[in-house]
Amino acid sequence: EVQLLESGGGLVRPGGSLRLSCAASGFTFNTFAMNWVRQAPGKGPEWVSAISATTGDTYYADSVEGRFTISRDNSRNTLSLLMDSLRADDTAIYYCAKDAFGDYLGAFDVWGQGTMVTVSS
Amino acid sequence: EIVLAQSPGTLSLSPGERATLSCWASQTVRNNYLAWYQQKGGQAPRLLIYAASRRATGIPDRFSGSVSGTDFTLTISGLEPEDFGVYYCQQYAVSPRTFGQGTKVEIK
């Protein structure tokens, strides 16, 4: 069964840092681009960041560029997101999502259950 | 950035009725690289349709997608009780990949 399992969410103060992780199983991890997508309470999803399977190329939404860092470990089938300088508007459920078409930025065919990040003093 | 606008905001229908959801793109979506997702309360979104009209694996054929220019449509022909929820469109033609604001399909 294809599965993504996020961890690392929690409550953090503005300006603080948090590291999210996503454990992947059931598919050939090193052949698919991977993403983080977030959803603020009552809002639609927002793509945050992506990383290529093979080249390691990274992509970021303007709203997180310079503050968030995506990485992956293909030997451990894990995806990470290091979030620095967190702000209140970063509060959201963060989902790990698999690209549907291999190492190509496409639709998201598998999602994790999400991990909640709350930024508040 | 491609902006996606969905309408209506809420659709109130009875089981068995036909649902028609719209998604308008602010510019041409290359190769019609548009997807539709379903989200139920407390769950992650689920991919229904990609490339405007191709059903994802395991999606029933009552779900169909179509396109005319920059206007995309998701049709559910005969609503089942499990189809009620929020539907989002998403373009993946250019970065950043963007989502619409959603259409809620609720039981009338």
Side-chain angles (χ1 to χ4, degrees):
Chain A
E1 179 189 4
V2 177
Q3 196 168 11
L4 299 171
L5 186 62
E6 302 94 338
S7 60
L11 174 63
V12 61
R13 298 193 185 282
S17 299
L18 208 57
R19 187 180 192 93
L20 306 183
S21 295
C22 172
S25 59
F27 64 100
T28 308
F29 183 73
N30 63 7
T31 62
F32 289 91
M34 294 295 295
N35 303 266
W36 289 98
V37 180
R38 68 186 180 184
Q39 188 168 27
K43 303 292 187 182
E46 177 193 15
W47 170 79
V48 171
S49 183
I51 185 167
S52 163
T54 53
T55 66
D57 289 345
T58 58
Y59 309 84
Y60 298 95
D62 287 347
S63 58
V64 307
E65 179 85 55
R67 300 188 299 122
F68 289 11
T69 303
I70 190 172
S71 61
R72 65 190 294 161
D73 184 340
N74 286 343
S75 67
R76 298 188 177 188
N77 290 355
T78 59
L79 176 73
S80 297
L81 185 69
L82 176 61
M83 303 184 293
D84 293 321
S85 303
L86 283 162
R87 311 185 304 219
D89 62 359
D90 294 317
T91 294
I93 297 173
Y94 283 73
Y95 294 102
C96 169
K98 169 185 166 291
D99 255 279
F101 311 124
D103 198 10
Y104 179 82
L105 301 184
F108 309 127
D109 66 339
V110 181
W111 298 62
Q113 87 290 347
T115 187
M116 184 70 203
V117 173
T118 303
V119 184
S120 175
S121 55
Chain B
E1 173 173 322
I2 297 179
V3 176
L4 300 176
Q6 293 187 241
S7 64
T10 302
L11 203 49
S12 298
L13 295 168
S14 300
E17 289 193 295
R18 181 185 188 95
T20 302
L21 289 68
S22 296
C23 174
W24 172 84
S26 61
Q27 56 186 273
T28 298
V29 178
R30 176 179 59 90
N31 294 332
N32 292 326
Y33 281 166
L34 185 120
W36 289 93
Y37 298 84
Q38 175 195 66
Q39 187 175 33
K40 300 180 188 179
Q43 298 181 19
R46 177 175 71 142
L47 178 64
L48 300 174
I49 298 285
Y50 65 94
S53 60
R54 299 184 179 186
R55 276 187 298 275
T57 302
I59 301 303
D61 61 7
R62 65 180 180 272
F63 291 91
S64 63
S66 62
V67 55
S68 175
T70 57
D71 292 325
F72 296 83
T73 301
L74 174 69
T75 301
I76 311 171
S77 59
L79 281 164
E80 297 286 344
E82 62 267 27
D83 297 337
F84 293 92
V86 183
Y87 291 79
Y88 296 98
C89 57
Q90 177 226 358
Q91 66 81 22
Y92 54 95
V94 299
S95 187
R97 286 170 281 181
T98 49
F99 290 84
Q101 82 280 15
T103 290
K104 181 180 181 181
V105 178
E106 64 178 22
I107 300 176
K108 186 174 180 181

